[in-house]
Amino acid sequence: MKIERIELHLVNMPLVKPFETSFGREDREVHIIVKIYADGLIGYGESPVGQTPGYAYETGETAWHIQSEFLAPAIINREISDIEDFLKMTAPVRGHHFAKHGFECALWHLFSLQQNKPLYQLLGGTQKIIRSGVSVGIQKSIAELLGVIGDFLDEGYKRIKIKIKPGWDFEPVKAIREKFGDVPLMADANSAYSLQDISLFRELDPFSLMMIEQPLHYQDLTQHAQLQKQIKTPVCLDESIAGVAMAEAAIALKSCKIINIKPARVGGLTKAKQIHDLCQNNRIPVWCGGMLEMGIGRACNIALSTLPNFTLPGDVSSSKKYFHRDIINPEILFENGELTVPEEPGLGFIPDDAVIAKFTENRWVLSG
């Protein structure tokens, strides 16, 4: 197919409730929606960049620059027969995974529409029902945390993940276990600790957490390996797994027992699938994390989660958890913590241009 037109939309949407992690507190998401036109079809993608370079070095400004100055010019008026063509054309751009993911997701959408198949089938997915957990940010008090968790459990979510940071770790976990018993529970540190905190991690062992996610430095593998040797709780890596090579190294070093795969973090669905396959071959379970995506990015995560080694509930929850109105129709809705994967061609959900336009604060167009 020949790429005829590319649009970037900087979409600014308020969250239903502020979301706090060890990086800080967010009350809105500002993501880039990518539209690529080819052969009478439109493919949609999403770059779920942060507003600050906390989780990753990319922000809306950096991704916009890379997409408009480098990625779009590299493919406009070019024939692209498969995703590998796109990867070769944009290979001179190192890094900038969130920026690339938005473009690649749009191209996957185009190919699924062109072939009249749902995206998950193009990826090789086999699971027809996706189980979802839910991510709970840092709350003002333990009582408030327990109330939020209780509401999500009543909605049927299959796993609870809480964000932790120094001073908000042992006591919240203890309170959750006392209140809700053996509910599947994990803790996400977002690199907030060091090996000097080994005593804390040992204190958490008796609570039988599913995993502790990214406890140490975001670029580290060796210290995570040391930590995993000294605690019973499985270590899960997130930020440290920036690509396939890092996943290979983590497995070789035994830095973790579980890997969180986020397609935006690793540069797209293709790289995400490669990491999935690597982990499957090495019997490392994976799950799909989230970046508070709007509906387009969330739909891509759903498609990815149908691959067979996604055996743990992911963070792909209902639209209403984060947004008053999502940018797709129908909105994503998990019932009792489960979603039947859509069989319609494409994303399985239809992007709503009117809602995208309503929340767009900047727009850029490149035509052939």
Side-chain angles (χ1 to χ4, degrees):
M1 63 175 65
K2 184 178 180 179
I3 306 303
E4 303 159 351
R5 178 183 172 95
I6 300 168
E7 295 181 11
L8 304 180
H9 297 255
L10 189 65
V11 178
N12 186 332
M13 293 185 68
L15 293 171
V16 172
K17 296 180 179 179
F19 192 82
E20 184 174 345
T21 70
S22 59
F23 296 126
R25 188 176 177 89
E26 295 182 356
D27 61 4
R28 62 201 313 107
E29 293 301 311
V30 185
H31 297 172
I32 299 173
I33 301 302
V34 179
K35 296 173 65 175
I36 300 180
Y37 295 68
D39 295 352
L41 301 171
I42 307 174
Y44 290 75
E46 178 178 343
S47 294
V49 286
Q51 298 176 60
T52 62
Y55 174 85
Y57 62 83
E58 292 179 80
T59 65
E61 289 79 4
T62 67
W64 190 274
H65 170 65
I66 293 298
Q67 289 173 334
S68 61
E69 297 295 326
F70 298 97
L71 300 184
I75 67 172
I76 194 70
N77 285 328
R78 302 282 297 275
E79 289 285 342
I80 295 182
S81 59
D82 54 30
I83 296 298
E84 190 61 33
D85 285 344
F86 167 75
L87 296 178
K88 290 177 181 177
M89 292 174 187
T90 57
V93 179
R94 289 192 178 185
H96 299 282
H97 289 174
F98 283 73
K100 289 180 177 178
H101 170 61
F103 271 59
E104 199 211 57
C105 180
L107 289 171
W108 274 109
H109 186 205
L110 273 174
F111 284 122
S112 63
L113 292 173
Q114 184 187 55
Q115 298 179 35
N116 200 36
K117 294 181 179 180
L119 174 57
Y120 85 89
Q121 287 187 8
L122 264 64
L123 292 173
T126 57
Q127 301 188 61
K128 301 291 185 172
I129 295 178
I130 299 301
R131 296 179 301 138
S132 176
V134 67
S135 181
V136 181
I138 295 168
Q139 306 296 311
K140 295 179 181 178
S141 67
I142 289 179
E144 184 174 334
L145 173 69
L146 297 178
V148 171
I149 291 174
D151 290 342
F152 283 133
L153 291 175
D154 289 343
E155 292 181 30
Y157 283 104
K158 305 301 184 185
R159 178 268 291 152
I160 299 296
K161 177 173 85 172
I162 65 166
K163 297 289 186 175
I164 61 172
K165 65 179 181 179
W168 180 268
D169 37 45
F170 180 84
E171 292 301 329
V173 171
K174 177 183 176 184
I176 293 168
R177 280 288 180 246
E178 290 175 347
K179 176 74 173 179
F180 300 109
D182 60 356
V183 60
L185 177 66
M186 58 176 287
D188 183 5
N190 288 119
S191 309
Y193 299 87
S194 72
L195 276 181
Q196 294 179 351
D197 299 301
I198 186 68
S199 60
L200 167 68
F201 298 123
R202 287 173 174 156
E203 289 174 354
L204 292 175
D205 270 341
F207 293 117
S208 299
L209 298 176
M210 295 175 66
M211 67 193 85
I212 296 178
E213 185 180 358
Q214 197 67 42
L216 309 180
H217 193 274
Y218 70 97
Q219 292 179 319
D220 172 74
L221 294 178
T222 56
Q223 291 191 0
H224 278 102
Q226 295 176 45
L227 174 64
Q228 185 65 94
K229 289 179 181 178
Q230 299 180 64
I231 63 174
K232 297 178 181 178
T233 305
V235 170
C236 170
L237 288 182
D238 176 358
E239 292 97 316
S240 289
I241 308 300
V244 179
M246 295 299 286
E248 291 174 336
I251 292 171
L253 292 168
K254 298 183 179 180
S255 303
C256 61
K257 295 181 179 179
I258 300 170
I259 287 180
N260 168 0
I261 300 179
K262 297 176 181 175
R265 186 192 73 230
V266 302
L269 293 169
T270 304
K271 300 297 183 184
K273 186 178 185 302
Q274 291 171 358
I275 294 172
H276 163 276
D277 295 348
L278 171 71
C279 290
Q280 185 175 31
N281 292 337
N282 286 275
R283 298 183 180 180
I284 301 291
V286 302
W287 58 282
C288 186
M291 295 298 301
L292 304 185
E293 286 94 346
M294 300 168 191
I296 293 169
R298 200 168 292 257
C300 289
N301 290 353
I302 289 171
L304 180 67
S305 299
T306 65
L307 294 174
N309 196 41
F310 281 92
T311 55
L312 300 171
D315 280 343
V316 190
S317 47
S318 297
S319 298
K320 66 179 182 179
K321 179 182 182 299
Y322 297 111
F323 303 107
H324 298 284
R325 176 70 175 91
D326 209 339
I327 60 174
I328 54 170
N329 285 311
E331 296 191 357
I332 294 169
L333 178 62
F334 280 78
E335 295 182 349
N336 294 316
E338 294 183 343
L339 172 78
T340 300
V341 179
E343 294 290 342
E344 291 81 4
L347 299 174
F349 304 88
I350 301 174
D352 191 323
D353 284 323
V355 178
I356 293 173
K358 178 180 178 180
F359 292 98
T360 292
E361 59 180 25
N362 196 6
R363 179 171 173 265
W364 179 89
V365 178
L366 179 63
S367 297

